[in-house]
Amino acid sequence: MMSTFDKREEGFESKFAHDAELRFRAHARRNKLVGLWAAEKLGVAGAAAEAYAKDVVTADLDKPNSDGVFLKLRKDFDDKGVAQSDHQIRRTMDEALAKAVADIQAGR
C-alpha cells in the first residue's frame, strides 16, 4: 500500500519526466526552426533545406548541453561567407525557442 509520501514522490517524478520531455521537444523544434532560418540565409531551399535543418537538430544531439547548434551555424555561415553576428544567431535561437515552447503549449 502506498503512503501519501510515496504518492507525492511518484507525482514529482512523473512531473519531472514530463517537464524533461517537453524541454527536449522544445529544443528539437527550436533547432529545426533555426536550421530552416539558416538554410534560407545560406541559399538552400526545398528538400535540401529540410535536410540541413535535420543536420542542425543532429548537431545538438551530438553535443548535448553544449553550443553544438551555435557552433555549426557559425561555421556554416563563415564557410559560405554569410554575414551573421554571434548576437543575431543567438537571438534567433532564443526567438525560435520561445516559438517552439508556445507551439507545444498550444498543442501544435
Side-chain angles (χ1 to χ4, degrees), residues 85-100:
S85 69
D86 290 355
H87 174 76
Q88 178 62 46
I89 296 169
R90 291 195 186 279
R91 189 178 84 196
T92 301
M93 290 173 69
D94 290 343
E95 290 169 355
L97 181 59
K99 180 179 180 356

Side-chain angles (χ1 to χ4, degrees), residues 36-103:
L36 293 172
W37 166 80
E40 181 181 333
K41 297 288 183 189
L42 293 165
V44 178
E50 289 290 330
Y52 181 80
K54 286 181 184 178
D55 288 345
V56 172
V57 171
T58 302
D60 191 38
L61 297 175
D62 289 343
K63 296 181 182 181
N65 300 323
S66 73
D67 273 345
V69 170
F70 173 79
L71 294 173
K72 175 173 181 38
L73 297 176
R74 174 81 276 149
K75 181 183 180 318
D76 292 349
F77 285 152
D78 290 346
D79 289 349
K80 296 286 186 175
V82 175
Q84 288 293 313
S85 69
D86 290 355
H87 174 76
Q88 178 62 46
I89 296 169
R90 291 195 186 279
R91 189 178 84 196
T92 301
M93 290 173 69
D94 290 343
E95 290 169 355
L97 181 59
K99 180 179 180 356
V101 169
D103 287 350

Side-chain angles (χ1 to χ4, degrees), residues 9-23:
E9 182 179 19
E10 186 176 282
F12 284 127
E13 288 172 358
S14 176
K15 181 177 178 352
F16 179 81
H18 177 72
D19 290 350
E21 179 186 349
L22 289 178
R23 275 191 304 276

